[in-house]
Amino acid sequence: MQGKQKLIDDILSSAKKTASAMIAEAEAEQTRELENLRKELDAAQAESLKLAQKSADDYYSGQVKLGDLEAGKTLLRAKQACVSAVYDGVREKILSAPDSEYLALLQKLITDVCEDGDEVIAAKSDGKRVNAAWIKKVNAAAKKKLVLSKEQGDFAGGVILRNARYDRDLSVDEIIAELKDRTIAETVKRLGL
């Protein structure tokens, strides 16, 4: 678990740096947009004052609010991209981990939830790593009888455990989705968003 936390902390640290740069860029864009909008609004106000002061004030106020809303949307999109980058980074870190770390993670996930007789469906990309010899090790660790399926899954990495009653999705994408559900608030906080 220490290694997993260190991996997450390293990724979060890296993502925080990236997030800061992205936020700074978004804030600069926001400032430019507001300056341009304010210039356009000032010109529109001067013209409108000739016709009716109240009409110009209403138009200016509405446009500033609209500009603020658009700038807020831009900033929100940048923040969402930062958060997504964190979890994409975690996903890539898992998928590119050395075999020993990757298989240790899969073994832990499988042994925590497997049932006797489960069929292990490995991702196509894991065909060489998740093999019969490795399944024997997992069987010994889990003290269960698991069988490696000849079927390979069309997902990025991880496994699916199948039995007569249900399938358990332990694919990397599902693991990341579950991690995101549990940690998104903390991630946003740590990124300072």
Side-chain angles (χ1 to χ4, degrees):
M1 288 307 274
Q2 285 291 64
K4 182 178 177 183
Q5 186 60 43
K6 182 178 181 334
L7 175 68
I8 290 171
D9 288 345
D10 289 348
I11 291 169
L12 287 174
S13 173
S14 173
K16 188 168 186 176
K17 290 176 186 172
T18 303
S20 295
M22 292 175 78
I23 289 171
E25 184 179 313
E27 288 173 345
E29 181 180 335
Q30 176 185 12
T31 301
R32 285 191 304 275
E33 288 177 11
L34 285 174
E35 287 174 2
N36 291 339
L37 181 60
R38 280 192 171 55
K39 287 177 186 177
E40 291 174 17
L41 292 175
D42 288 342
Q45 184 183 28
E47 181 65 32
S48 295
L49 279 174
K50 294 176 187 174
L51 303 173
Q53 184 64 41
K54 180 168 181 359
S55 187
D57 289 343
D58 291 345
Y59 178 77
Y60 181 78
S61 176
Q63 290 299 309
V64 168
K65 287 178 184 175
L66 181 60
D68 287 343
L69 286 173
E70 287 302 316
K73 286 180 188 178
T74 300
L75 187 58
L76 177 61
R77 283 190 298 271
K79 288 179 179 184
Q80 289 170 332
C82 290
V83 171
S84 290
V86 168
Y87 293 100
D88 290 346
V90 171
R91 179 183 185 272
E92 290 310 309
K93 196 87 159 175
I94 290 171
L95 290 173
S96 64
D99 286 355
S100 60
E101 291 176 25
Y102 181 78
L103 293 174
L105 173 63
L106 285 185
Q107 180 174 324
K108 167 92 173 89
L109 293 169
I110 292 170
T111 56
D112 285 351
V113 298
C114 71
E115 294 182 16
D116 216 19
D118 279 352
E119 180 181 16
V120 179
I121 301 169
K124 288 178 186 174
S125 60
D126 289 342
K128 291 184 180 180
R129 299 200 269 194
V130 178
N131 55 39
W134 182 75
I135 292 294
K136 283 184 181 183
K137 289 180 187 178
V138 175
N139 282 340
K143 297 180 181 155
K144 303 264 177 35
K145 174 100 172 96
L146 306 175
V147 177
L148 180 62
S149 176
K150 291 182 182 179
E151 177 184 348
Q152 291 185 325
D154 193 19
F155 42 92
V159 298
I160 292 178
L161 298 180
R162 178 173 287 161
N163 62 39
R165 296 182 315 254
Y166 54 83
D167 290 354
R168 268 189 211 235
D169 190 347
L170 300 177
S171 65
V172 171
D173 288 334
E174 184 62 26
I175 294 164
I176 297 303
E178 190 273 330
L179 175 69
K180 186 175 183 179
D181 287 345
R182 285 187 299 111
T183 63
I184 189 126
E186 180 65 21
T187 300
V188 168
K189 182 179 172 184
R190 288 178 86 173
L191 290 172
L193 302 177

